[in-house]
Amino acid sequence: MKKIIGIFLLSLLFIVTGTSSQPYFQKITTGPIATDVSSSSECAWGDYDNDGDQDLVVIPWNALCSLCTYPVLFYKNNSDGTFTREINEIGQQVIDGRGVAWGDYDNDGNLDLFITRYYNQKNMLFRNLGNGHFELITTGAIVNDINSSYGCGWADYNKDGWLDLFVANGQNQNDALYKNNGNGTFTKITNDPLVLDGSESRGCAWGDYDNDGWPDLFVVTYQGQNDMLYHNNGNGTFTRIFNTLPAIDGDWGAACAWGDYDNDGKLDLYVTFSNSTNKLYHNDGNGIFSLSGTLPSFEQGYSHGANWADFDNDGWIDLFVPKRSNSTNALFKNANGLGFTKVTNDVVGLEGGYSDAGIWGDYNSDGKIDLFVGNGSTSPLIANYFYKNITTTGNYITLKLKGCTLNRSAVGARIKLRDGATTMIREVNGGSGSQSMLWQHFGLGAITNIDSILVYWTTGNVSRLSNIQANQTLLVDECVIGIINNQLPAVYELKQNYPNPFNPVTQIEYSIVKSANVKMSIFDVTGKLIKILVNENQGFGTYKVDFDGKDLASGLYICKIETEEFTALIKMMLLK
């Protein structure tokens, strides 16, 4: 009996409002990102210029007032804690925007941007030209369909290496799925249940909830309709799931977000509503969900969005829920996967009333994830909120994933981090309406050295890193296929590439005997640097990396590997 009473009291502790012994965030009040006023709707972090930091785009919803003519707010990160507003091809658009998502749809290494619009308008696709400018795409159904669109999300749903796009449409219009043809164009799918359930759709989120390696989809609906859960059949088609949570629930839905809040290796789901209490669904496995009996379920107050992140670096993902209609925004701290406490004495939990979106991103690369909140009020005029994370406890690791030649932005890739009995998973999110940063941040608590990190790419490749030091940002490149033998090698070694001669792809194998920064470079016979294949910290082991010479002339090339204790060269012959 004492044990039962103890568990009951513990549950009550997690349901009541919580406090923090230290401030978590400091509100930034200077600079355009914190002072610009707009009818802000949705927003997205993304490193559009590949300079190693997070840039920001904020979409206006000018329909909030009859005279509003606010443009898209496009902020370039200056890498010194400040931002500059860019008036480029995106930053000069005056639109009624309702969703935004970054994704490299043409696999050129540069993030492209998709924006949805409501009230029967055309959506917008901007191709990143890689020089700070964008091209507005004007051909194809993806930008010429006339709908009332809300959320959107990129995903490689058929795992062919090219990002496809889902768009949630309102006014009982069918939702849209655009299949990437791999040549810069898209085909609109018209014969799948995913696009035949006309509804008042709002938010959407891709996530592999059944761990079968294929991205599934959840769609939130408005006006009391049932929400929709679609299972990916793995053959380019979907099956709608009925008669089970969360698919049998519905009300006036607004947004949704997948996240493994209890670190059991299965994605759970949070759904927000504008006219009832929010709901947290626990993934019980085997396609079954149950409604959680703890916060942040039961939270009320016109909740508009939701996003997961471990803001205090304790190893458990937390949740931010922005609100409208004079409600204070909500920040929920995860209590070791057993429940949540609502933070009420930190600045993030003391403001709100006009907030449409809140997204997480480490803008200053200090390993503590920061928060941007878009405010849509025009009466009264109010600036957006920008909060710097100032927590001082907990270790972290941030992973920047880079696809090799396909799915270069790694959207949908799954990461599994293991240390002792601890396992955490993340999936790279292709957007849902707003979008947190694509880089994957893990709070580690007291962990200082990670046993292993596995990256499951959507192309089927798997990368493995072992014995990884905490408190750093690592680039994980799919071209480095990963550890093929995680036993401690006897010696450093750079093996001859195979095949050799090659046309145009060859594979290079090497071994390192302890954790170190590894740099592998390709030179021509004159000593000119051609390409850097690897430049990252790696644990001991034997690795393979691919080199593609399709854009090079036939001839002799030199591969050089460097660590603090080891340098070696090999000659490679490209014959076309």
Side-chain angles (χ1 to χ4, degrees), residues 388-430:
K388 177 183 178 181
N389 192 324
I390 57 173
T391 55
T392 58
T393 59
N395 298 308
Y396 77 94
I397 193 161
T398 300
L399 302 178
K400 299 163 58 175
L401 302 191
K402 178 183 177 183
C404 189
T405 57
L406 296 174
N407 196 356
R408 297 285 297 275
S409 50
V411 168
R414 174 173 283 206
I415 303 168
K416 182 180 291 185
L417 183 151
R418 289 176 175 166
D419 190 86
T422 299
T423 299
M424 302 180 222
I425 64 169
R426 300 283 192 275
E427 285 189 358
V428 181
N429 176 21

Side-chain angles (χ1 to χ4, degrees), residues 81 102 136 177:
W102 292 104
L136 177 62
L177 178 64

Side-chain angles (χ1 to χ4, degrees), residues 245-261:
L245 291 174
I248 60 175
D249 272 356
D251 209 312
W252 294 73
C256 54
W258 295 102
D260 181 14
Y261 76 86

Side-chain angles (χ1 to χ4, degrees), residues 377-393:
S377 173
T378 57
S379 180
L381 291 174
I382 184 171
N384 299 315
Y385 301 147
F386 186 31
Y387 303 105
K388 177 183 178 181
N389 192 324
I390 57 173
T391 55
T392 58
T393 59

Side-chain angles (χ1 to χ4, degrees), residues 310-324:
D310 185 0
F311 72 79
D312 55 353
N313 283 347
D314 67 349
W316 303 89
I317 56 171
D318 312 294
L319 185 70
F320 176 75
V321 181
K323 299 184 182 181
R324 295 185 58 84

Side-chain angles (χ1 to χ4, degrees), residues 326-376:
N326 299 317
S327 297
T328 302
N329 294 332
L331 178 65
F332 296 98
K333 184 183 184 307
N334 192 330
N336 298 342
L338 300 174
F340 295 78
T341 56
K342 188 174 181 180
V343 178
T344 58
N345 64 345
D346 188 272
V347 62
V348 169
L350 295 173
E351 298 185 301
Y354 313 98
S355 303
D356 269 352
I359 54 173
W360 301 97
D362 184 5
Y363 81 94
N364 55 1
S365 300
D366 65 353
K368 295 175 290 190
I369 198 156
D370 311 293
L371 180 66
F372 179 85
V373 180
N375 290 315

Side-chain angles (χ1 to χ4, degrees), residues 43 74 91 116 122 126 140 164 203 207 227 233 293 304 311 355 378 381 444 482 506 512 570:
C43 42
F74 195 107
T116 65
K122 296 179 181 179
F126 293 90
D164 315 295
D227 296 331
N233 299 321
H304 196 271
F311 72 79
S355 303
T378 57
L381 291 174
L444 299 175
T506 189
I512 56 176
I570 57 171

